[in-house]
Amino acid sequence: MSLDLAAIYRDLHANPELSFQEHRTAAIVAETLTGLGFDVVTGLGTTGVAGVLANGAGPTVLLRADMDALPVLEDTGLPYASTARGTDADGNDVPVMHACGHDVHVTCLLGAAERMAAERSRWSGALVVVFQPAEELGGGAESMVADGLFDRVPRPDIVLGQHVAPLPAGFAGVHAGVAMAAADELTVRVHGVGGHGSRPEATIDPVLLAAAITVRLQGVVAREIAATDAAVVTVGQLHAGTKHNIIPSEAMLGINVRSFDESVRTKVLTAIERIATGEAAASGAPRDPHFDYGARFPATVNDADASERTAAALRRALGEGRVFDPGVVSGSEDVGVFATAAGVPLVYWFLGGFDPSLFDPAALAAGRLPENLPSNHSPKFAPVIDPTLESGVAALVAAAREWLGASVG
């Protein structure tokens, strides 16, 4: 069996699926792994797939890829661009695109699985490949663990993975310690007394209340978080009302929080609830706000010693000067759930996916990326196939072999 990775990637890119709806992708993964000789488990956490390749005595390594796409209308102009549509969790018809590169992740892990199966004489132990649903919702890894993942596949000694990013193809970025932020999604509903827009004195205006909360929240990071710490508080949604001359009885704020330290995370979330409750009282609201927590991602923490060892293996595979430290990233991931559940180290790195000619080496070394380069979640996000897929496979294989046992031959 010889996989045409470019064809697989184009197919996955053209046929994206939303979180917990990755049925077609999961079927492709399961069929491919079966053909490669893996023992396959399907339906984990709804649509998750795991494959196990046992190869004698030795450590167990888990390689992970995520499968879901985003409700984004693609604008790349690629011949294999997605025109797919789907139904989101709220029942809305939405466009669907692999705007975060999970199609790259799936393709590279299938390619790594093929190479590891073909070159079993070079390693010993057990390889577990995990294809996870719903990373974008922050619940996919947890759903697989809750569904008995580690009762159905060997518990690993280390968890490894990668994420394609707007970096030069052929390069990889590894940061030890806290590598990606924790993220919390919070919906706040504030209550008022509705009425006619011409008689505000007969109402309690939840729009004004929501606006006051929005402004006040900007002081949480500026005035309650130490300068040596970091956090981000974003009000990404504010919805209220149905007509210009009607004061509604309710308003909704959609808030996103990023943090890198658990104590800071707790402090920020506590402050948000305190401010919303206080502003509601100051407005004379008929009852306290309602807080509903949605997607929650833990901070992604790379084990320091394991990161150093894995980075050395990546340098051997990709070349000296092609593996660097990208620093802490404010995006979020749930891959760490697997490592935490197994009680083992995590190493998660960034894989370059864009034309290297777009990058100035000196600027890259200083941590500066080209302006106007499409980022993850952009409708124009379009990793190049070559050498991204080749490098992604090489990185996964090198990292896995670094942690597996010596040759059985």
Side-chain angles (χ1 to χ4, degrees):
M1 184 177 188
S2 180
L3 300 181
D4 185 340
L5 295 184
I8 291 172
Y9 170 72
R10 293 188 187 99
D11 178 70
L12 294 175
H13 188 87
N15 295 281
E17 296 169 297
L18 294 172
S19 302
F20 288 125
Q21 301 178 34
E22 309 94 336
H23 300 286
R24 181 181 185 275
T25 305
I28 291 171
V29 166
E31 181 181 2
T32 304
L33 292 178
T34 300
L36 293 172
F38 282 72
D39 293 326
V40 178
V41 182
T42 61
L44 287 162
T46 305
T47 50
V49 179
V52 180
L53 189 63
N55 191 39
T60 297
V61 169
L62 188 154
L63 299 178
R64 175 270 202 174
D66 39 12
M67 301 187 292
D68 55 328
L70 287 160
V72 173
L73 180 64
E74 181 159 355
D75 187 26
T76 62
L78 293 168
Y80 48 90
S82 169
T83 58
R85 300 193 69 84
T87 303
D88 68 13
D90 296 321
N92 302 309
D93 177 74
V94 294
V96 188
M97 176 193 173
H98 269 300
C100 202
H102 296 187
D103 46 354
V104 173
H105 306 167
V106 172
T107 305
C108 289
L109 186 48
L110 289 176
E114 180 184 39
R115 277 190 55 185
M116 294 296 287
E119 300 174 359
R120 273 178 267 202
S121 62
R122 301 180 62 180
W123 59 274
S124 177
L127 176 68
V128 178
V129 290
V130 169
F131 294 81
Q132 176 202 314
E135 183 277 333
E136 297 293 351
L137 296 182
E142 185 177 358
S143 73
M144 292 188 76
V145 170
D147 200 20
L149 171 65
F150 293 128
D151 296 325
R152 304 167 76 177
V153 304
R155 190 171 294 266
D157 295 295
I158 191 166
V159 173
L160 304 169
Q162 62 188 7
H163 201 303
V164 69
L167 299 169
F171 284 65
V174 186
H175 180 75
V178 177
M180 300 181 74
D184 294 274
E185 186 177 275
L186 172 61
T187 298
V188 180
R189 296 191 182 278
V190 295
H191 309 284
V193 176
H196 202 288
S198 67
R199 298 188 63 227
E201 75 280 5
T203 72
I204 297 174
D205 189 350
V207 178
L208 180 60
L209 168 55
I213 293 171
T214 301
V215 172
R216 184 67 184 270
L217 289 180
Q218 308 314 304
V220 173
V221 174
R223 287 295 175 267
E224 298 192 41
I225 302 302
T228 52
D229 293 322
V232 179
V233 177
T234 298
V235 180
Q237 297 188 70
L238 202 166
H239 299 288
T242 57
K243 201 172 186 296
H244 292 42
N245 65 346
I246 298 174
I247 294 174
S249 59
E250 183 180 283
M252 183 277 281
L253 299 93
I255 303 172
N256 183 264
V257 175
R258 306 281 168 152
S259 58
F260 302 92
D261 177 86
E262 192 61 33
S263 64
V264 172
R265 182 186 197 182
T266 299
K267 188 171 185 177
V268 170
L269 296 174
T270 300
I272 290 171
E273 293 197 20
R274 185 195 74 235
I275 287 169
T277 302
E279 290 290 348
S283 297
R287 58 187 183 276
D288 287 342
H290 177 74
F291 302 98
D292 182 22
Y293 284 88
R296 309 190 78 171
F297 295 79
T300 301
V301 183
N302 282 335
D303 180 86
D305 292 338
S307 295
E308 182 178 353
R309 180 174 167 183
T310 302
L314 295 179
R315 282 191 291 271
R316 291 193 294 271
L318 302 179
E320 290 293 334
R322 290 177 170 264
V323 179
F324 64 100
D325 186 341
V328 180
V329 174
S330 57
S332 302
E333 254 285 349
D334 68 349
V335 63
V337 170
F338 294 116
T340 299
V344 301
L346 168 72
V347 183
Y348 194 68
W349 62 89
F350 291 99
L351 176 72
F354 283 72
D355 184 349
S357 68
L358 299 174
F359 296 81
D360 175 65
L364 183 65
R368 299 193 305 273
L369 298 177
E371 294 182 6
N372 302 319
L373 194 68
S375 66
N376 300 74
H377 291 213
S378 164
K380 296 184 180 295
F381 187 74
V384 295
I385 291 177
D386 183 28
T388 302
L389 299 183
E390 178 184 354
S391 299
V393 171
L396 289 171
V397 169
R401 285 184 180 158
E402 174 65 25
W403 291 97
L404 288 163
S407 170
V408 297

